[in-house]
Amino acid sequence: MTLLVVSAHAGDFVWRAAGAIALATSRGRRAKVLCLSFGERGESAKAWREGKTLEEIKEIRRGEAENAAGVLGAEIEFLDAGDYPLRETPELVDRMVRVYREVNPSVVLTHPLADPYNGDHPAAAHMALQARVLAQAIGYDAPGEPLGAPPVFFFEPHQPEQCDFKPNVLLDITEVFDTKRKAMECLPAQQHMWDYYTDLAKRRGVQVKRNAGPNLGLPHNTMGEAYMRLYPQVTGELA
Amino acid sequence: MTLLVVSAHAGDFVWRAAGAIALATSRGRRAKVLCLSFGERGESAKAWREGKTLEEIKEIRRGEAENAAGVLGAEIEFLDAGDYPLRETPELVDRMVRVYREVNPSVVLTHPLADPYNGDHPAAAHMALQARVLAQAIGYDAPGEPLGAPPVFFFEPHQPEQCDFKPNVLLDITEVFDTKRKAMECLPAQQHMWDYYTDLAKRRGVQVKRNAGPNLGLPHNTMGEAYMRLYPQVTGELA
Amino acid sequence: MTLLVVSAHAGDFVWRAAGAIALATSRGRRAKVLCLSFGERGESAKAWREGKTLEEIKEIRRGEAENAAGVLGAEIEFLDAGDYPLRETPELVDRMVRVYREVNPSVVLTHPLADPYNGDHPAAAHMALQARVLAQAIGYDAPGEPLGAPPVFFFEPHQPEQCDFKPNVLLDITEVFDTKRKAMECLPAQQHMWDYYTDLAKRRGVQVKRNAGPNLGLPHNTMGEAYMRLYPQVTGELA
Amino acid sequence: MTLLVVSAHAGDFVWRAAGAIALATSRGRRAKVLCLSFGERGESAKAWREGKTLEEIKEIRRGEAENAAGVLGAEIEFLDAGDYPLRETPELVDRMVRVYREVNPSVVLTHPLADPYNGDHPAAAHMALQARVLAQAIGYDAPGEPLGAPPVFFFEPHQPEQCDFKPNVLLDITEVFDTKRKAMECLPAQQHMWDYYTDLAKRRGVQVKRNAGPNLGLPHNTMGEAYMRLYPQVTGELA
Amino acid sequence: MTLLVVSAHAGDFVWRAAGAIALATSRGRRAKVLCLSFGERGESAKAWREGKTLEEIKEIRRGEAENAAGVLGAEIEFLDAGDYPLRETPELVDRMVRVYREVNPSVVLTHPLADPYNGDHPAAAHMALQARVLAQAIGYDAPGEPLGAPPVFFFEPHQPEQCDFKPNVLLDITEVFDTKRKAMECLPAQQHMWDYYTDLAKRRGVQVKRNAGPNLGLPHNTMGEAYMRLYPQVTGELA
Amino acid sequence: MTLLVVSAHAGDFVWRAAGAIALATSRGRRAKVLCLSFGERGESAKAWREGKTLEEIKEIRRGEAENAAGVLGAEIEFLDAGDYPLRETPELVDRMVRVYREVNPSVVLTHPLADPYNGDHPAAAHMALQARVLAQAIGYDAPGEPLGAPPVFFFEPHQPEQCDFKPNVLLDITEVFDTKRKAMECLPAQQHMWDYYTDLAKRRGVQVKRNAGPNLGLPHNTMGEAYMRLYPQVTGELA
């Protein structure tokens, strides 16, 4: 039981999926974050204004992301493929196939396929999906066994309605929210996001309660994360 | 843990949801089928051609549906609201609210909201959804406690693509398929449907296997039913 | 081979479907126009401003529509069900079922299902579709034989993009356009529409040529009408 | 220049549109709120639990809504048409036509057309749109002059993504947010909503800034409301 | 009158379009299948498990596809562009333009544009569409005359609802189904597909009958294939 | 206040956006047209038939486009990136980023993102959007200041419904229509388009009047252009 999170930039997995990651690791599962870039050009405005160099910025972001992953109990790997733009190339997809084969995830998280504000996010998602399908083929020339069919969940973008993000899964992250908050606090350059994503977790928590109904007795401070399942859910029970 | 199935006509619940019903009852749960009509005008062509009267046809269909429900271990109730057209009226919705309050379902199954071939199906679905929301209101004047928020699943229509039916849940019904087949055989006037819906269960079973992946080791003869979840799934784990 | 056109108001069939009607009658087929109302309240502003009474306006519009139908070689029947609003009632649907059973159309034309500018158009379409399905049921209590499954085409609304009208059929009406123009000229109160719908026919004609391709040698002045097919086309040949 | 807000229940206009209302009245315009019901059955759970009678609850909600409207500088009228369900009837639509003719609004606000959690909201919206179109017809038998074509904006539902609510207008309400907060505080039974909708205004404010861009120099605490425009914007300038 | 079928892998044209091909050749028309790859990596799992080499697998698949094309009376050409992934390149598109110019098809069949299970299918479709448009331009530097505007039909993917495949054309293939079955039997490695696609043809045949209506007297064993037309149909008659 | 228009071919900006350009320059604003290609292969059929060479055709089209831009009072720059196909490359996007940084537009116009008749149009739009986002990043290595967030409007394609073009902005171009006509007349090879786009402006003008309502007193000959806004409108007033 392993969770694989494919993230375009170094911080994405924290804001959008730290709850799911912490839930997995708190249950003793392996979680691995694959950062395709550091977000060095497009998501580090403060450091650029301070006159940092490209390499310095990459190191800062790497360190922050490693700290956050550490708080969440997750492994993290950086492919350093560049951002703004993150380019879709066969070579990068091939490297991702190899990660899939090595990690053999039971669940995959990534960005949604549309984002008119940020082209790197859909690029990361396209490659994550393409690599997943390639990793399934016995004839694809990469080490390891062919992948199964792990479900894919898109995590929430910054402006969900503009990205055709209609959540069909609401994850209750109440029990690990403190850990998510600590992970967010590992990213000091975006301090205004700490409260922003705490508020979002509250808002999604209200929806968790609303969709679960009053009879389940969820607490007042239920916290949530929203996801969108790409493939149909396979189940032995409707619930 | 109770399953409520709202069906426009007497046979719908068998073709489309017998697997889900049999799974529930095989696990000791209560299942109730609410038939809004007998399908006496619109889905009994053979009996009309044989010169049966309206009342005779209703009795035939009632008997068949009771037999099928019996095979599935489910209760069945008929509201006899008329078909072709099944009319949406406040009175009928009110009767349905009372059923919701009495049954207190944990899961609801009904038709999808669009069907250009059959207006009764969306009418039943609209009323099933409206009554569910009304039953939740403490201020609605009907006996019983306010309803919680049971998830709603649409079952598969005859021509899914024409009804905007995009399955997001695939239910593995392999272990109860024999029971579904027996229930279908309680409806002798539509014998050509027995094989049709057996073939469909095979087809959806192939998709169950495809989406579950090879690693789960599902058997070659996996049988499935397709559903479409209306509200977001609330969960404590992504899987 | 009979064409049935269901029109909310007295003029709709002329602007939007006169080409299809004239093509059918020019080939010796029966065409029948069913006007649910005269458009007496909502589409007769000029007459109201002139101080005409409701009954006078209805007679004017009836006469104009009869003239236009005459030019097109079509029968016309008025149900006088009232407009603005045209109300969807079981009684009106029942009257329409009887028309379907009597006419036994091989093709049905009506309004599209959405129009944020005019609620009567979708109301007419809903009823036209519902009556078509009811007329198919042997158990529906109305004279005549059960209807077959005539294809349904939506004709073009005034602001197509706002009505989710995406044409999937382009009809070449070049050979009967003069007849369409004459039929339009039977509606003197809306003279500005004559040129408007002539321009539209040119525009759709350009699309006829564009989608047919240059090899078919369609003439420079090809004229067209746009339609949207509701049910899948059944065919013995892809072309 | 008059704003008309059509609200299914007594509180809706406060949570969802108080900013737009306060902006209008702060600029000296007339604003009128039309409440179709008090929300007496479906949105007054606390009062029902306290054993209040139906009439008592209606009076409480009326008083609260009048207070909130007063804070916003808006007129308010109640049609007392009942809720849960709010029924679409010709009579109610006719009453609304008369309000349109009397108020002659230059802008209309109402609920979006879909809400799987609350049938009253779409019912109110359907009627608001239908009445607007009827009020435009010179032949419609109601006092006053025919209505122009005021633009319609849907305000934000509780779970926007589930209601196909994709905002295409973001309104900057920073300068009147304090007034909105005061109006919300007129509704004591739903105190948890005060912070919820304050958080939402912050969130939409972040989007206001994001979509306006940094060059406009909007303040850090920009507050927003989201709307969805139904008809195309008519303009003399792209901006 | 020539049919061009653009297929990502060697077997696709058999399962999904053999009926359309056989109908065309049975009427004396030319049909050409263009296979962009052999499906050597992604659709030959059995051969890989048996330890075959890449070249051996390509030869096996080539032979099978040639046999199937032979049964159908169609020409076949392989571009050997590689699969899993099939890469979209300007060079490959250019080769396809030349095929279009040489074949001058009157009808084009290819994959739909979305398939979350298989990236090669949309890649083939994108290139097929792009090449078709390029071949139309007199200024495009390739031998032959500019192409006309042949209609394009998408054939059915494995999981139609997940690929946004909403059939709008149902093709009656009853008279050539035996030939389709024989062509399928040329692909021994996928024997489980023979019955799967026979069942699908039955299912689509039921829909052919349902949409044609009872009056056409189609036989009980009507077999069908489903297609989705990309461009509007140009016609001189609504039917 | 500067308008930037990104056009795939030399003529696109004239037919589709000359009204908006003329409105801007008539108010003293800078307008710049960026033509990615000359449309030398795909939109110059007449010149090819006359036996012109590629370089001759490019010069002809350049001259015509410069004349049209001159009439409109706009600057024009050609990137000569080739057409049919216009290829999306990192280098071309980078050149466009530099244009954004230099022009610092307050409004951007380009093609819509889908066009099944012409792949160059979506390619231009994709690159225009990608370059806009990259130009916003302080870390992107190009001269100039980071871009703000100028709104983006898609202009109207040739067959709007087939391109998912649903106009949500209708621009009144009455006062500059004569200028648009003169600009169109600078393109003599496509003389049939002069009337075509004059008719379209009339048609969109009818919709301007219809959506503005009769009370605004727009003149009978109102002329319009249709646009589709990509990002939400940010505003301080609903109107």
Side-chain angles (χ1 to χ4, degrees), chain A residues 60-132:
Chain A
I60 290 167
R61 305 244 18 193
R62 173 199 292 273
E64 291 172 358
E66 284 174 347
N67 288 345
V71 166
L72 297 173
E75 303 165 35
I76 189 163
E77 180 179 346
F78 302 92
L79 294 189
D80 193 10
D83 78 328
Y84 268 64
L86 172 63
R87 286 188 192 136
E88 297 187 48
T89 65
E91 293 70 29
L92 185 51
V93 171
D94 181 67
R95 291 173 69 192
M96 294 168 73
V97 172
R98 288 157 199 273
V99 173
Y100 272 104
R101 286 271 180 94
E102 186 272 323
V103 172
N104 189 22
S106 53
V107 173
V108 178
L109 311 185
T110 191
H111 300 268
L113 288 164
D115 190 337
Y117 298 91
N118 191 316
D120 292 2
H121 294 163
H126 284 142
M127 289 188 285
L129 295 180
Q130 191 182 1
R132 174 184 167 280

Side-chain angles (χ1 to χ4, degrees), chain E residues 11 16 24 31 33 53 62 75 90 92 110 134 136 151 163 198 212 229 235-236:
Chain E
R16 301 154 202 272
V33 177
T53 68
R62 175 198 292 272
E75 302 165 38
L92 185 51
T110 190
L134 297 179
Q136 293 176 324
C163 301
T198 299
R229 188 192 284 278
T235 184

